[in-house]
Amino acid sequence: MGCLHSLPNAIGVFICLLFCCFWVPSFVFAAFLPVDNFLIDCGGGKPLKVDDGRTFEPDSGNSNMGFSISPASRIVVSENVTAPWNLYQTCRVLTETSTYTFRTKQVGRHWLRLHLYPIENPRYNLKAAVFSVEANGVTLLHEFSFAESEKRPSRLYKEFVVHVDVSNSKDLVLTLSPSNASLAFINGIEVISVPDGQFPSTAIAIPIGPSLEIPAHVALETAYRINMGGPLINPENDSLWRTWEPDYPFLLNSASAWSVSVDPSLIRYPTGISVEIAPKVVYATAQEMADANVGEQRFNISWAFRVDGGFTYLIRLHFCDIVSQALSNLVFNVYLNNQSALDSFDISSKTMELSAAYFVDFAADVSMSSNQILVQIGPPNLRNIPSNAILNGLEIIKLSNPDGSLDVPSGADFSSRGPKRKVAVIASVTCLAGFAILALIAAAFYLHFRKSKKPKKHPTSAWLPLPTHVGHSESKISTVSYASTAPSLGLGRVLAFSEIREATKNFDENLVIGVGGFGKVYRGVLDNGVIVAVKRGNPRSQQGLTEFRTEIEMLSKLRHRHLVSLIGYCEELNEMILVYEFMAGGPLRTHLYGSDLPPLTWKQRLEICIGAAKGLHYLHTGAAESVIHRDVKTTNILLDENLIAKVADFGLSKLGPTLDQTHVSTAVKGSFGYLDPEYFRRQQLTEKSDVYSFGVVLMEVLCARPAINPSLPREQVNIAEWAMHWQKKGHLNQIIDPHLVGYVKLESLRKFGETAEKCLSEYGIERPTMGDVLWNLEYALQLQQASLQTIADENSTNYIPEIPEWIPHIEAADCDCADIVSDPGSDAATTSGVFSQLINPRGR
Ligand SMILES: *[C@@H]1O[C@H](CO)[C@@H](O)[C@H](O)[C@H]1NC(C)=O
Ligand SMILES: *[C@@H]1O[C@H](CO)[C@@H](O)[C@H](O)[C@H]1NC(C)=O
Ligand SMILES: *[C@@H]1O[C@H](CO)[C@@H](O)[C@H](O)[C@H]1NC(C)=O
């Protein structure tokens, strides 16, 4: 197979290993010391130590560092900005074509990593800068601009591989060229020698055919580097300072996969596989089939990656059998772009042992008309083998095209691109201006006739978007700002059915990520690259229509940091579709048990509960009419990529009682194990039913077990009963998640237990409000963080106080409701002022 090292290379690596071990025995990543290792902080004034422990040198003055910049006409912007990373605090602005020349000591492939962040400053509008970047004759970026790139990332991190040979006199020359009258800029550059054997000279073609040659002069660009089933791996945890992203955002059906992990120290690298191929932490985690080995599983785990059409991609799959008990027990199929890549593949037949690293390289052409790479693993068509399949890591690497470019697809007309773009820009500016006027008129109309409420679709620009997918998740557009591109009428955007159909690949069953009360939920990607969750209602009935409309109006009014936000909706062609922001972290439940995600710390759990409580508190009190969620449970609390909790699934929610009522009568709905017993008996719904369900959630978070687990002894089946039994005895600590034992301060646990106990009170009237719950959880967090002495004499541990004044204030600051609290004349300084605004948004 083309991917293995030749023997001399392996020996070389071995010798190098020995050598390095002798000299730096304690160095964690002893295996590889790059001969060339330029780390440049552009525009910097002194050596800069960055988070990953490396030191970047300034690019000014010093010429004995082995690189030079020309011409001298360059300007440094260095403002005291609060950049997300210290390397972004300075950059070099270039007003004419300029080069960085690196005199490398070694010929061969080099990583070239570029860091770009348009620093806001009074002199230059770097966001609008348009420029191209080349290295040794290969186009890396063609007329790139932050303003015009499709996803409008806030920063750009790009990793390329460029070849240096004797014909370049061992120089790596990086050229930045501003487009007509524009600027170029750069914040950081890394040039690092690539170890031998890191990239293959051939790869298996997909569909399976003759091997594809990858000559050394072909430049590469990392499109994706993924750690399947594991966390983000930052440069400091990779001996070659690579970044590995988690796979959730690309998983088409998150219910199809379970992540598994083992202790990284168990991973072995067989002869022929260098430790530099991928770190142990990558091989030590994987995604496997959910409910693996249960019955006759017949499905694939699928991941989809957006790529630029018109290029060939190297696809490297990393495998390591960390799930089997014996050799030859794990046999599966791998498909790339619907084509069979590995058939009845048995990792152990290659490695001859378990927990051993292995990788395979494929090459696939992605046509101009397509823009994705689909990676699937699934069970083999064999009877006597348990159904399972795994994948540990994945790299997707773009190869430069025959024109020597990594940006503009071959076939695109270079010369006509510039002028066309200008026309398009002018056209779209005109369009936008027109649109702004239209929006104003529409807003005026809207205020008068609230019923006619379809905001015009934002005009979409006609030019070819620059491909700029990046390895960094931070580059994703924030869905909140996206949602606000709808005129600020408070409603989500109206989306065309065709747009939604395209986003979900015609409602592909493989994209289903859940089925709720309302209908199926799909993962989709809008044409601007924003990942969304698409909820499609069951065929409409008159009744359903009313509820759908209520839901849109209700949800449009509910904007809060801790509620999953509505991006848009569609009611064309008898369809009822709601489009929400996509939550990469998935449901809270999967972080508690039943998966191999790393256990959450107590602080994380408290913060998640606090977030969810804020969302519910806002539902109950923040909107004009209070809203009862009715289906609070750990699968309806979703986490984003930063573990921020948001309450989701309002499919069952109901407007709360109006002032002259005390409850809403309704047929009992909700989820078993979370149901308020009083609601069940009396069929009368109040906000306190949500409080009860939230109490169950709190216990679940503490004990890391399902609300109902029928396989346990009878007295333990129902968590509410079981946990209350221990709480009443004062020994709740006996049944907490073993991962928490020793990490939870007793005071914090006591406060948490009391709060949950009050939530689970038999009668609604005895239960606290969500505001009280929130306050008590915040207090439990403080108790956890405070030092033991200062709180020891606190006498309030048995007392659930009234909701203090500052809660609503925090809420108002937390909620994304700028258009609601926008009246400068109001007395926004007092909490009640803020709240009356929230309660009566029409009062503006
Ligand atoms: C990364 O490295 C740091 C320090 O070396 C360590 O504390 C941390 O656990 C590592 N993370 C992973 C995912 O291995
Ligand atoms: C793979 O097959 C699915 C379903 O048949 C189709 O929708 C999709 O476009 C195909 N993808 C590729 C890359 O061929
Ligand atoms: C898995 O995906 C491949 C390619 O898209 C398809 O041919 C195969 O039938 C799928 N297998 C299952 C079990 O769905």
Side-chain angles (χ1 to χ4, degrees), residues 231 236-237 281:
E236 69 261 37
N237 293 79
V281 282

Side-chain angles (χ1 to χ4, degrees), residues 735-769:
I735 58 163
I736 68 173
D737 182 356
H739 291 113
L740 296 175
V741 172
Y743 295 98
V744 182
K745 294 208 176 132
L746 209 55
E747 290 75 10
S748 178
L749 175 63
R750 196 180 298 146
K751 186 89 239 166
F752 188 89
E754 284 164 9
T755 310
E757 179 182 3
K758 291 233 156 61
C759 291
L760 293 173
S761 300
E762 185 73 18
Y763 300 102
I765 195 142
E766 295 167 357
R767 296 177 204 145
T769 64

Side-chain angles (χ1 to χ4, degrees), residues 809-824:
H809 196 68
I810 296 275
E811 279 307 284
D814 243 5
C815 89
D816 177 32
C817 50
D819 56 334
I820 299 177
V821 196
S822 62
D823 185 355

Side-chain angles (χ1 to χ4, degrees), residues 337-338 372 374:
N337 283 345
N338 295 341
Q372 77 160 13
L374 187 64

Side-chain angles (χ1 to χ4, degrees), residues 594-728:
S595 78
D596 281 314
L597 292 176
L600 299 168
T601 64
W602 182 235
K603 179 163 175 271
Q604 284 171 325
R605 295 184 206 211
L606 283 172
E607 281 166 351
I608 288 167
C609 292
I610 288 169
K614 283 180 179 171
L616 289 172
H617 176 53
Y618 172 77
L619 272 188
H620 291 173
T621 61
E625 290 141 305
S626 94
V627 176
I628 302 172
H629 187 285
R630 281 224 288 181
D631 203 10
V632 176
K633 53 182 173 180
T634 46
T635 46
N636 281 344
I637 295 171
L638 305 183
L639 304 180
D640 73 4
E641 66 271 27
N642 301 317
L643 298 181
I644 303 293
K646 302 195 185 197
V647 178
D649 202 340
F650 302 83
L652 289 183
S653 50
K654 272 265 183 288
L655 290 181
T658 50
L659 286 178
D660 50 346
Q661 290 174 308
T662 55
H663 64 268
V664 181
S665 292
T666 131
V668 173
K669 286 187 184 144
S671 297
F672 204 51
Y674 295 88
L675 262 188
D676 168 10
E678 190 179 37
Y679 169 42
F680 192 74
R681 280 194 308 270
R682 302 174 54 198
Q683 318 222 332
Q684 293 176 348
L685 188 67
T686 69
E687 289 90 344
K688 296 295 180 69
S689 306
D690 281 352
V691 175
Y692 181 90
S693 307
F694 193 70
V696 179
V697 167
L698 294 180
M699 290 303 193
E700 216 178 318
V701 166
L702 181 68
C703 306
R705 52 151 285 188
I708 297 285
N709 184 350
S711 67
L712 290 174
R714 203 169 171 284
E715 70 278 10
Q716 301 186 23
V717 168
N718 186 330
I719 196 174
E721 285 173 17
W722 180 239
M724 283 293 265
H725 168 75
W726 288 95
Q727 166 65 17
K728 292 216 163 97

Side-chain angles (χ1 to χ4, degrees), residues 426-444 454-460 482-489 493-494:
I426 292 166
S428 89
V429 165
T430 322
C431 245
L432 275 174
F435 179 71
I437 295 168
L438 267 182
L440 275 177
I441 296 173
K454 280 200 182 178
K456 272 245 164 70
K457 232 193 99 189
H458 207 286
T460 43
Y482 178 70
S484 67
T485 59
S488 58
L489 304 182
R493 183 162 85 111
V494 177

Side-chain angles (χ1 to χ4, degrees), residues 242-319:
R242 291 167 295 199
T243 301
W244 300 75
E245 285 182 278
D247 68 314
Y248 303 109
F250 311 101
L251 197 55
L252 293 187
N253 182 349
S254 54
S256 64
W258 272 359
S259 46
V260 282
S261 63
V262 295
D263 183 341
S265 64
L266 298 175
I267 305 301
R268 275 189 300 262
Y269 294 87
T271 318
I273 308 253
S274 150
V275 295
E276 308 306 342
I277 292 297
K280 287 184 173 183
V281 282
V282 169
Y283 288 112
T285 65
Q287 292 287 17
E288 69 168 344
M289 287 173 65
D291 295 312
N293 309 324
V294 176
E296 279 283 303
Q297 299 269 20
R298 297 271 116 213
F299 63 85
N300 290 326
I301 307 179
S302 310
W303 294 266
F305 299 89
R306 263 177 99 90
V307 294
D308 302 323
F311 287 92
T312 301
Y313 289 83
L314 174 67
I315 303 170
R316 173 170 288 180
L317 304 170
H318 295 272
F319 296 106

